[in-house]
Amino acid sequence: MNILVIGSGGREHAVIKAIKKNPTVETIYCLPGNGGIAADAICVNIGAKDIDGIVKFAAENKIDYAIVTPDDPLVLGCVDALNAIGIPCFGPDKKAAIIEGSKAFSKDLMKKYGIPTAAYEIFDDMDKAIAYLQDKDMPIVIKADGLALGKGVIIAQNLAEAEEAVRSMMADKVFGASGDHVVIEEFLTGPEVSVLAFTDGKTMVPMVSSMDHKRAHDNDEGLNTGGMGTIAPNPYYTADIADVCMETIFLPTMNAMNAEGRTFKGCLYFGLMLTPKGPKVIEYNCRFGDPETQVVLPLLESDLLTVMRAVTEERLAEVGVKFAADKSACCVIMASAGYPEAYEKGYEITIPADVADSVYVAGAALKDGKLVTNGGRVLGVTAIADTLPEAIKASYAKVDTISFGNAFCRRDIGQRALKAIK
Ligand code: AMP
Ligand code: GLY
């Protein structure tokens, strides 16, 4: 089979390494991919948002199956466009991808179907939004409606910050059209858990739980990033809590999307907060998380491509999805100093051959045959072990064998999770 993967991050690299294990796979193309992914797939410089370019490439290269991983092409209807020329895909169609594409949609869905989430109001008028804030408890959370590269969420500590957040989104348009509507919601507290789930609209199969580390620096300080590291499983997510989530969140979400005529097929990402009043949904993503995927897929014992095709063909119930039950994984992201703000690029990256298998490259390019840094988050390094402390130690041991100019990483990935175990 010829497989097409859309995207260019560490997550896509992890997906590609996993599907490569399937013996029916002949060629894997990645659009656009990156210099590190090029070791495992043929990368072609067609952007993930260039739907016409993707469709043309797929038609010309005898693609048997496509995996659309990032939010943008999913929300733009990449799956619909590939399906239209007869190519089966992993990933939701445009109608279903709205669950991530519009926070207003997802909040209204949860309200309509009684799925637990933070109390909220949606505004398209700035003056009304600001009037609403006046007597509210602080902190309060302000979210731009559309995709904003994971940055469209501001937690305002006081009224002045809240008003400023609304103005920056609705008047100054710092997130572009994503700020035409804003969601203002109650501030929740509790441990956060990421749960990715395979679903074909009939069956829901949660994967092993994980924990992201979003802030740039140790002790959860600094700016929000795309994610500086992950661990799995998440020790806060007990079997009892998993049962509650299945009953009150996962299945109700699948059924709600079906009832709306928006059947979701693909990987549905539940960003959860375990509040004192029970688990609540912070956000839905219509795709694999990054860098959650870099700890979840290495723990998957079943064949990923087989599971994905079963999702596409709506026979997920027939295939087994097995995870290494007694193992833990840790992924540490190595970034360019300065990220998520300005950083330098072009430094040569050295990765010893014996760790390359567990390195997922995100921001790198090939220059004169050498791998050089080309992004904020450069690569992720995953280790698997029998216990979480061992997995953390092993991933940092690998990190310390990799070098590039201006490299930095958090040194405390997994420490929050270890506190839960103690
Ligand atoms: P999101 O992009 O919606 O995942 O939000 C980014 C981060 O903001 C989340 O991972 C949470 O840490 C935080 N956050 C979002 N919504 C809330 C909320 N209602 N209460 C507390 N924290 C929140
Ligand atoms: N790790 C969070 C995300 O993929 O959105």
Side-chain angles (χ1 to χ4, degrees), residues 11 100 194 212 214 226-227 269 283 285 287-292:
R11 163 185 61 195
E100 174 169 3
S194 304
D212 196 0
K214 288 197 165 138
Y269 170 125
E283 64 163 347
N285 291 328
R287 51 171 175 87
F288 283 98
D290 189 335
E292 284 90 345

Side-chain angles (χ1 to χ4, degrees), residues 1 24 65 304-315:
M1 287 180 76
T24 68
Y65 190 70
L304 178 62
L305 187 61
T306 304
V307 176
M308 286 181 155
R309 294 184 68 197
V311 167
T312 306
E313 292 160 18
E314 296 178 25
R315 40 178 193 78

Side-chain angles (χ1 to χ4, degrees), residues 247-269:
E247 210 56 35
T248 63
I249 295 174
F250 304 161
L251 291 173
T253 301
M254 181 180 84
N255 294 334
M257 290 297 276
N258 286 338
E260 294 293 311
R262 296 176 184 272
T263 295
F264 188 102
K265 290 164 59 172
C267 173
L268 186 51
Y269 170 125

Side-chain angles (χ1 to χ4, degrees), residues 267-341:
C267 173
L268 186 51
Y269 170 125
F270 299 90
L272 306 173
M273 200 171 263
L274 308 181
T275 78
K277 290 184 187 158
K280 295 192 181 188
V281 177
I282 290 281
E283 64 163 347
Y284 292 115
N285 291 328
C286 65
R287 51 171 175 87
F288 283 98
D290 189 335
E292 284 90 345
T293 306
Q294 292 92 308
V295 284
V296 169
L297 291 185
L299 292 172
L300 178 66
E301 291 181 338
S302 309
D303 177 62
L304 178 62
L305 187 61
T306 304
V307 176
M308 286 181 155
R309 294 184 68 197
V311 167
T312 306
E313 292 160 18
E314 296 178 25
R315 40 178 193 78
L316 178 59
E318 294 168 20
V319 299
V321 183
K322 199 166 168 288
F323 284 86
D326 299 320
K327 302 270 186 204
S328 291
C330 174
C331 174
V332 177
I333 299 294
M334 296 180 74
S336 301
Y339 173 76
E341 295 182 293

Side-chain angles (χ1 to χ4, degrees), residues 103 118 141 143 150-153 155 185-189 192 214 224 273 282-283:
K103 289 199 193 289
V141 184
K143 300 186 175 184
K151 293 181 193 145
V153 176
I155 297 174
E185 72 177 31
E186 168 199 15
F187 177 74
L188 299 176
T189 56
E192 286 186 59
K214 288 197 165 138
N224 257 321
M273 200 171 263
I282 290 281
E283 64 163 347

Side-chain angles (χ1 to χ4, degrees), residues 49-130:
K49 289 197 254 183
D50 179 2
I51 308 299
D52 292 343
I54 292 168
V55 168
K56 185 163 175 279
F57 180 90
E60 286 168 359
N61 287 277
K62 295 202 171 69
I63 299 301
D64 298 298
Y65 190 70
I67 301 166
V68 184
T69 342
D71 48 1
D72 280 314
L74 289 166
V75 170
L76 289 170
C78 189
V79 166
D80 311 58
L82 288 167
N83 285 343
I85 60 161
I87 296 175
C89 294
F90 183 82
D93 63 12
K94 185 175 181 174
K95 263 174 116 178
I98 192 175
I99 197 165
E100 174 169 3
S102 166
K103 289 199 193 289
F105 171 86
S106 68
K107 293 298 290 191
D108 286 346
L109 184 85
M110 289 186 268
K111 187 186 268 181
K112 182 169 171 188
Y113 293 93
I115 298 164
T117 189
Y120 71 101
E121 289 290 335
I122 299 170
F123 297 91
D124 58 9
D125 179 296
M126 186 171 78
D127 294 335
K128 286 193 183 136
I130 286 177

